[in-house]
Amino acid sequence: MSTELFSLAGRTALVTGSSRGLGRAIAEGLGRAGARIVLNGVSLERLEAAAAELRAAGLDVLTSAFDVTDEPAVMAAFEGFDAAGLAIDILVNNAGIQFRKPMLELETADWRRVIDTNLTSAFLVGREAARRMVPRGEGKVVNIGSLTSELARATVAPYTVAKGGIKMLTRAMAAEWGEKGVQANAIAPGYMLTDMNAALVSDAAFDGWVKGRTPARRWGRPDELVGAAIFLSSAASGYVNGQTLFVDGGMSVVL
Ligand code: GCO
């Protein structure tokens, strides 16, 4: 019984921003739980390289290259899924960028770029996915928030605001789509060992701060998000809606 509850067999999962980093780890984890996975990114070359590795591991992998901030491209991608008879059962809105600069020095264009990539994209892709999930009466949306969905750090204002928005967009999705059989939830990673954080990991002072500030006394690994992703993508979370699950070693709840 319990294993079936977490099985994704027969399901198709689209993971945005999944050629590397957290998205790649989540996509692989959903694939190993039985899902057909659709990798997304802007570079088809990177996507195909990631797909080849995952196919070599025996996973069922498709690729769909589109810019999650480009509304016509997002709509065309889903029209392509429709034409191919591909129903997206699970959407993981993972695509995101980081841009570190104090607000007094921040260009508005950089602010907008981060908000568009990290927040508006989740609306654009989520809306297209839900336009298909709602008539089917079922679907899973998993938005990737952050520790900064709850806590602010200096120099990452647009990222923080976007991730705070992800927490509330998730609740808005639950408010509108819950009665239609679609569950929308979020995962909020803590400080994870990713390319995006490489500069922080290699900074001895920052590395020491993360380890001292985190009850687990270490950075998280991307694969440590897979359990939460499978849970929120599976039947096991059928009555979970609008929640943000922090996978952060305890940093968000312990001083
Ligand atoms: C930073 C980090 C954070 C990340 C962290 C927590 O510069 O502080 O990039 O913004 O979001 O991994 O999620």
Side-chain angles (χ1 to χ4, degrees):
M1 169 61 183
S2 61
T3 51
E4 285 164 25
L5 210 51
F6 292 87
S7 170
L8 302 181
R11 299 290 184 190
T12 299
L14 168 64
V15 183
T16 65
S18 50
S19 59
R20 57 184 178 169
L22 300 186
R24 162 75 188 270
I26 289 170
E28 180 172 353
L30 298 183
R32 291 185 186 282
R36 161 183 287 180
I37 52 178
V38 182
L39 301 181
N40 160 261
V42 289
S43 161
L44 186 58
E45 185 184 353
R46 272 208 197 121
L47 284 177
E48 286 303 334
E53 287 174 18
L54 296 179
R55 289 181 187 125
L59 302 187
D60 182 354
V61 186
L62 302 174
T63 60
S64 179
F66 61 91
D67 176 349
V68 293
T69 68
D70 178 342
E71 183 170 6
V74 171
M75 297 180 80
F78 275 82
E79 285 158 11
F81 298 150
D82 296 343
L86 190 68
I88 302 298
D89 305 296
I90 301 159
L91 168 63
V92 180
N93 277 314
N94 166 78
I97 57 175
Q98 180 56 284
F99 187 84
R100 301 181 179 99
K101 188 168 279 189
M103 278 190 276
L104 294 182
E105 301 159 29
L106 190 63
E107 299 291 335
T108 307
D110 290 322
W111 165 277
R112 287 203 174 98
R113 184 165 51 86
V114 175
I115 298 290
D116 279 353
T117 309
N118 294 19
L119 177 58
T120 306
S121 67
F123 161 68
L124 293 174
V125 184
R127 181 183 60 184
E128 287 315 302
R131 279 176 170 163
R132 281 98 175 148
M133 291 173 174
V134 163
R136 291 200 301 265
E138 61 176 357
K140 294 285 191 177
V141 178
V142 182
N143 297 317
I144 304 301
S146 160
L147 179 64
T148 56
S149 292
E150 202 61 47
L151 301 178
R153 174 173 98 79
T155 75
V156 288
Y159 185 97
T160 302
V161 168
K163 293 301 189 179
I166 283 290
K167 180 179 78 172
M168 295 313 293
L169 174 62
T170 301
R171 296 183 186 180
M173 287 174 169
E176 292 192 16
W177 301 338
E179 65 186 19
K180 308 292 187 184
V182 177
Q183 290 86 53
N185 292 285
I187 295 171
Y191 278 91
M192 312 301 280
L193 293 168
T194 59
D195 293 347
M196 186 179 83
N197 287 335
L200 305 179
V201 177
S202 60
D203 176 318
F206 200 98
D207 176 55
W209 173 76
V210 168
K211 288 170 178 169
R213 181 67 180 72
T214 305
R217 298 288 180 263
R218 63 177 176 84
W219 294 72
R221 298 186 316 272
D223 64 278
E224 292 186 289
L225 298 178
V226 168
I230 291 171
F231 168 60
L232 293 175
S233 298
S234 69
S237 58
Y239 198 53
V240 180
N241 221 339
Q243 301 300 314
T244 295
L245 178 54
F246 283 78
V247 183
D248 66 353
M251 186 186 258
S252 59
V253 293
V254 173
L255 274 176

PDB file of all heavy atoms in Angstrom, residues 98 100 145-148 153 155-156 159-160 163 189-192 196-197 200 206, ligand 1:
ATOM      1  N   GLN A  98      19.456  33.723  -9.900  1.00  0.00           N
ATOM      2  CA  GLN A  98      19.829  34.534  -8.757  1.00  0.00           C
ATOM      3  C   GLN A  98      20.610  35.754  -9.281  1.00  0.00           C
ATOM      4  O   GLN A  98      21.282  35.676 -10.315  1.00  0.00           O
ATOM      5  CB  GLN A  98      20.688  33.725  -7.779  1.00  0.00           C
ATOM      6  CG  GLN A  98      21.149  34.452  -6.516  1.00  0.00           C
ATOM      7  CD  GLN A  98      20.038  35.037  -5.690  1.00  0.00           C
ATOM      8  OE1 GLN A  98      19.481  36.087  -6.093  1.00  0.00           O
ATOM      9  NE2 GLN A  98      19.701  34.409  -4.581  1.00  0.00           N
ATOM     10  N   ARG A 100      22.735  38.885  -7.250  1.00  0.00           N
ATOM     11  CA  ARG A 100      23.042  39.443  -5.938  1.00  0.00           C
ATOM     12  C   ARG A 100      23.600  40.872  -6.079  1.00  0.00           C
ATOM     13  O   ARG A 100      24.661  41.078  -6.649  1.00  0.00           O
ATOM     14  CB  ARG A 100      24.060  38.548  -5.208  1.00  0.00           C
ATOM     15  CG  ARG A 100      23.552  37.108  -5.027  1.00  0.00           C
ATOM     16  CD  ARG A 100      24.524  36.225  -4.283  1.00  0.00           C
ATOM     17  NE  ARG A 100      23.963  34.877  -4.133  1.00  0.00           N
ATOM     18  CZ  ARG A 100      24.271  33.845  -4.921  1.00  0.00           C
ATOM     19  NH1 ARG A 100      25.142  34.006  -5.884  1.00  0.00           N
ATOM     20  NH2 ARG A 100      23.724  32.657  -4.746  1.00  0.00           N
ATOM     21  N   GLY A 145       9.987  27.213  -4.107  1.00  0.00           N
ATOM     22  CA  GLY A 145      10.215  28.466  -3.401  1.00  0.00           C
ATOM     23  C   GLY A 145      11.645  28.489  -2.908  1.00  0.00           C
ATOM     24  O   GLY A 145      12.580  28.081  -3.610  1.00  0.00           O
ATOM     25  N   SER A 146      11.791  28.930  -1.668  1.00  0.00           N
ATOM     26  CA  SER A 146      13.137  29.044  -1.109  1.00  0.00           C
ATOM     27  C   SER A 146      13.030  29.339   0.385  1.00  0.00           C
ATOM     28  O   SER A 146      11.987  29.812   0.857  1.00  0.00           O
ATOM     29  CB  SER A 146      13.880  30.191  -1.802  1.00  0.00           C
ATOM     30  OG  SER A 146      14.982  30.653  -1.039  1.00  0.00           O
ATOM     31  N   LEU A 147      14.118  29.148   1.091  1.00  0.00           N
ATOM     32  CA  LEU A 147      14.216  29.667   2.464  1.00  0.00           C
ATOM     33  C   LEU A 147      13.837  31.139   2.449  1.00  0.00           C
ATOM     34  O   LEU A 147      13.224  31.668   3.373  1.00  0.00           O
ATOM     35  CB  LEU A 147      15.659  29.486   2.935  1.00  0.00           C
ATOM     36  CG  LEU A 147      16.023  29.976   4.311  1.00  0.00           C
ATOM     37  CD1 LEU A 147      15.282  29.206   5.383  1.00  0.00           C
ATOM     38  CD2 LEU A 147      17.529  29.860   4.517  1.00  0.00           C
ATOM     39  N   THR A 148      14.159  31.784   1.336  1.00  0.00           N
ATOM     40  CA  THR A 148      13.866  33.225   1.240  1.00  0.00           C
ATOM     41  C   THR A 148      12.406  33.483   0.892  1.00  0.00           C
ATOM     42  O   THR A 148      12.001  34.625   0.717  1.00  0.00           O
ATOM     43  CB  THR A 148      14.780  33.890   0.182  1.00  0.00           C
ATOM     44  OG1 THR A 148      14.607  33.223  -1.064  1.00  0.00           O
ATOM     45  CG2 THR A 148      16.226  33.848   0.605  1.00  0.00           C
ATOM     46  N   ARG A 153      17.455  38.085   3.147  1.00  0.00           N
ATOM     47  CA  ARG A 153      18.887  38.287   3.349  1.00  0.00           C
ATOM     48  C   ARG A 153      19.278  39.496   2.504  1.00  0.00           C
ATOM     49  O   ARG A 153      18.733  39.695   1.409  1.00  0.00           O
ATOM     50  CB  ARG A 153      19.655  37.043   2.876  1.00  0.00           C
ATOM     51  CG  ARG A 153      21.135  37.173   2.889  1.00  0.00           C
ATOM     52  CD  ARG A 153      21.835  35.849   2.573  1.00  0.00           C
ATOM     53  NE  ARG A 153      22.246  35.723   1.184  1.00  0.00           N
ATOM     54  CZ  ARG A 153      23.331  36.291   0.653  1.00  0.00           C
ATOM     55  NH1 ARG A 153      24.065  37.089   1.394  1.00  0.00           N
ATOM     56  NH2 ARG A 153      23.666  36.092  -0.627  1.00  0.00           N
ATOM     57  N   THR A 155      21.051  41.836  -0.158  1.00  0.00           N
ATOM     58  CA  THR A 155      21.634  41.735  -1.515  1.00  0.00           C
ATOM     59  C   THR A 155      20.895  40.788  -2.456  1.00  0.00           C
ATOM     60  O   THR A 155      21.322  40.626  -3.598  1.00  0.00           O
ATOM     61  CB  THR A 155      23.132  41.305  -1.506  1.00  0.00           C
ATOM     62  OG1 THR A 155      23.199  39.894  -1.208  1.00  0.00           O
ATOM     63  CG2 THR A 155      23.947  42.097  -0.508  1.00  0.00           C
ATOM     64  N   VAL A 156      19.790  40.169  -1.982  1.00  0.00           N
ATOM     65  CA  VAL A 156      19.058  39.276  -2.894  1.00  0.00           C
ATOM     66  C   VAL A 156      17.565  39.629  -2.911  1.00  0.00           C
ATOM     67  O   VAL A 156      16.683  38.768  -2.928  1.00  0.00           O
ATOM     68  CB  VAL A 156      19.255  37.787  -2.524  1.00  0.00           C
ATOM     69  CG1 VAL A 156      20.657  37.328  -2.862  1.00  0.00           C
ATOM     70  CG2 VAL A 156      18.936  37.526  -1.055  1.00  0.00           C
ATOM     71  N   TYR A 159      15.128  38.210  -5.732  1.00  0.00           N
ATOM     72  CA  TYR A 159      14.980  36.757  -5.535  1.00  0.00           C
ATOM     73  C   TYR A 159      14.058  36.498  -4.355  1.00  0.00           C
ATOM     74  O   TYR A 159      13.122  35.685  -4.429  1.00  0.00           O
ATOM     75  CB  TYR A 159      16.358  36.144  -5.295  1.00  0.00           C
ATOM     76  CG  TYR A 159      16.377  34.642  -5.204  1.00  0.00           C
ATOM     77  CD1 TYR A 159      16.714  33.871  -6.314  1.00  0.00           C
ATOM     78  CD2 TYR A 159      16.089  33.983  -4.014  1.00  0.00           C
ATOM     79  CE1 TYR A 159      16.759  32.480  -6.234  1.00  0.00           C
ATOM     80  CE2 TYR A 159      16.126  32.602  -3.925  1.00  0.00           C
ATOM     81  CZ  TYR A 159      16.467  31.853  -5.037  1.00  0.00           C
ATOM     82  OH  TYR A 159      16.499  30.474  -4.951  1.00  0.00           O
ATOM     83  N   THR A 160      14.291  37.213  -3.271  1.00  0.00           N
ATOM     84  CA  THR A 160      13.489  37.049  -2.050  1.00  0.00           C
ATOM     85  C   THR A 160      12.019  37.390  -2.314  1.00  0.00           C
ATOM     86  O   THR A 160      11.110  36.659  -1.920  1.00  0.00           O
ATOM     87  CB  THR A 160      14.057  37.946  -0.939  1.00  0.00           C
ATOM     88  OG1 THR A 160      15.427  37.604  -0.722  1.00  0.00           O
ATOM     89  CG2 THR A 160      13.273  37.803   0.350  1.00  0.00           C
ATOM     90  N   LYS A 163      10.449  34.721  -4.490  1.00  0.00           N
ATOM     91  CA  LYS A 163      10.202  33.472  -3.755  1.00  0.00           C
ATOM     92  C   LYS A 163       9.106  33.646  -2.705  1.00  0.00           C
ATOM     93  O   LYS A 163       8.356  32.721  -2.412  1.00  0.00           O
ATOM     94  CB  LYS A 163      11.501  32.964  -3.135  1.00  0.00           C
ATOM     95  CG  LYS A 163      12.536  32.508  -4.164  1.00  0.00           C
ATOM     96  CD  LYS A 163      12.018  31.388  -5.066  1.00  0.00           C
ATOM     97  CE  LYS A 163      13.122  30.806  -5.933  1.00  0.00           C
ATOM     98  NZ  LYS A 163      12.655  29.702  -6.800  1.00  0.00           N
ATOM     99  N   PRO A 189      13.590  25.095  -0.597  1.00  0.00           N
ATOM    100  CA  PRO A 189      14.927  24.607  -0.271  1.00  0.00           C
ATOM    101  C   PRO A 189      15.679  25.601   0.603  1.00  0.00           C
ATOM    102  O   PRO A 189      15.471  26.818   0.488  1.00  0.00           O
ATOM    103  CB  PRO A 189      15.617  24.460  -1.636  1.00  0.00           C
ATOM    104  CG  PRO A 189      14.516  24.487  -2.639  1.00  0.00           C
ATOM    105  CD  PRO A 189      13.436  25.331  -2.045  1.00  0.00           C
ATOM    106  N   GLY A 190      16.539  25.088   1.436  1.00  0.00           N
ATOM    107  CA  GLY A 190      17.457  25.941   2.182  1.00  0.00           C
ATOM    108  C   GLY A 190      18.705  26.179   1.359  1.00  0.00           C
ATOM    109  O   GLY A 190      18.643  26.274   0.132  1.00  0.00           O
ATOM    110  N   TYR A 191      19.841  26.325   2.027  1.00  0.00           N
ATOM    111  CA  TYR A 191      21.090  26.546   1.304  1.00  0.00           C
ATOM    112  C   TYR A 191      21.583  25.212   0.742  1.00  0.00           C
ATOM    113  O   TYR A 191      22.013  24.334   1.480  1.00  0.00           O
ATOM    114  CB  TYR A 191      22.100  27.232   2.218  1.00  0.00           C
ATOM    115  CG  TYR A 191      21.842  28.718   2.256  1.00  0.00           C
ATOM    116  CD1 TYR A 191      21.007  29.284   3.219  1.00  0.00           C
ATOM    117  CD2 TYR A 191      22.345  29.542   1.259  1.00  0.00           C
ATOM    118  CE1 TYR A 191      20.702  30.631   3.195  1.00  0.00           C
ATOM    119  CE2 TYR A 191      22.051  30.902   1.232  1.00  0.00           C
ATOM    120  CZ  TYR A 191      21.226  31.432   2.205  1.00  0.00           C
ATOM    121  OH  TYR A 191      20.912  32.768   2.162  1.00  0.00           O
ATOM    122  N   MET A 192      21.487  25.093  -0.572  1.00  0.00           N
ATOM    123  CA  MET A 192      21.785  23.844  -1.260  1.00  0.00           C
ATOM    124  C   MET A 192      23.075  23.972  -2.061  1.00  0.00           C
ATOM    125  O   MET A 192      23.434  25.062  -2.523  1.00  0.00           O
ATOM    126  CB  MET A 192      20.645  23.458  -2.213  1.00  0.00           C
ATOM    127  CG  MET A 192      19.244  23.521  -1.610  1.00  0.00           C
ATOM    128  SD  MET A 192      18.981  22.462  -0.178  1.00  0.00           S
ATOM    129  CE  MET A 192      18.705  20.884  -0.976  1.00  0.00           C
ATOM    130  N   MET A 196      24.323  27.689  -8.607  1.00  0.00           N
ATOM    131  CA  MET A 196      23.851  29.048  -8.286  1.00  0.00           C
ATOM    132  C   MET A 196      24.494  29.553  -6.987  1.00  0.00           C
ATOM    133  O   MET A 196      24.692  30.757  -6.804  1.00  0.00           O
ATOM    134  CB  MET A 196      22.323  29.049  -8.136  1.00  0.00           C
ATOM    135  CG  MET A 196      21.706  30.414  -7.953  1.00  0.00           C
ATOM    136  SD  MET A 196      19.918  30.323  -7.808  1.00  0.00           S
ATOM    137  CE  MET A 196      19.737  29.926  -6.080  1.00  0.00           C
ATOM    138  N   ASN A 197      24.813  28.608  -6.102  1.00  0.00           N
ATOM    139  CA  ASN A 197      25.379  29.009  -4.808  1.00  0.00           C
ATOM    140  C   ASN A 197      26.882  28.776  -4.708  1.00  0.00           C
ATOM    141  O   ASN A 197      27.463  28.920  -3.629  1.00  0.00           O
ATOM    142  CB  ASN A 197      24.673  28.253  -3.676  1.00  0.00           C
ATOM    143  CG  ASN A 197      23.271  28.765  -3.436  1.00  0.00           C
ATOM    144  OD1 ASN A 197      22.956  29.910  -3.742  1.00  0.00           O
ATOM    145  ND2 ASN A 197      22.405  27.908  -2.928  1.00  0.00           N
ATOM    146  N   LEU A 200      28.994  31.200  -2.921  1.00  0.00           N
ATOM    147  CA  LEU A 200      28.744  31.252  -1.468  1.00  0.00           C
ATOM    148  C   LEU A 200      29.460  30.102  -0.768  1.00  0.00           C
ATOM    149  O   LEU A 200      30.033  30.260   0.306  1.00  0.00           O
ATOM    150  CB  LEU A 200      27.247  31.175  -1.190  1.00  0.00           C
ATOM    151  CG  LEU A 200      26.351  32.204  -1.887  1.00  0.00           C
ATOM    152  CD1 LEU A 200      24.892  31.959  -1.519  1.00  0.00           C
ATOM    153  CD2 LEU A 200      26.774  33.619  -1.545  1.00  0.00           C
ATOM    154  N   PHE A 206      30.951  32.767   4.502  1.00  0.00           N
ATOM    155  CA  PHE A 206      29.540  32.443   4.240  1.00  0.00           C
ATOM    156  C   PHE A 206      29.283  30.967   4.533  1.00  0.00           C
ATOM    157  O   PHE A 206      28.273  30.603   5.158  1.00  0.00           O
ATOM    158  CB  PHE A 206      29.163  32.777   2.793  1.00  0.00           C
ATOM    159  CG  PHE A 206      27.681  32.922   2.583  1.00  0.00           C
ATOM    160  CD1 PHE A 206      27.087  34.164   2.575  1.00  0.00           C
ATOM    161  CD2 PHE A 206      26.885  31.794   2.439  1.00  0.00           C
ATOM    162  CE1 PHE A 206      25.713  34.298   2.394  1.00  0.00           C
ATOM    163  CE2 PHE A 206      25.513  31.912   2.267  1.00  0.00           C
ATOM    164  CZ  PHE A 206      24.931  33.170   2.245  1.00  0.00           C
TER     165      PHE A 206
HETATM  166  C1  GCO B   1      21.591  33.529  -1.429  1.00  0.00           C
HETATM  167  C2  GCO B   1      21.086  32.190  -1.924  1.00  0.00           C
HETATM  168  C3  GCO B   1      19.609  32.072  -1.532  1.00  0.00           C
HETATM  169  C4  GCO B   1      19.066  30.770  -2.011  1.00  0.00           C
HETATM  170  C5  GCO B   1      19.373  29.756  -0.967  1.00  0.00           C
HETATM  171  C6  GCO B   1      18.187  29.540  -0.061  1.00  0.00           C
HETATM  172  O1  GCO B   1      22.276  34.232  -2.192  1.00  0.00           O
HETATM  173  O2  GCO B   1      21.302  33.828  -0.247  1.00  0.00           O
HETATM  174  O3  GCO B   1      21.219  32.083  -3.327  1.00  0.00           O
HETATM  175  O4  GCO B   1      18.914  33.159  -2.073  1.00  0.00           O
HETATM  176  O5  GCO B   1      17.732  30.927  -2.217  1.00  0.00           O
HETATM  177  O6  GCO B   1      19.809  28.624  -1.602  1.00  0.00           O
HETATM  178  O7  GCO B   1      17.140  29.003  -0.790  1.00  0.00           O
END
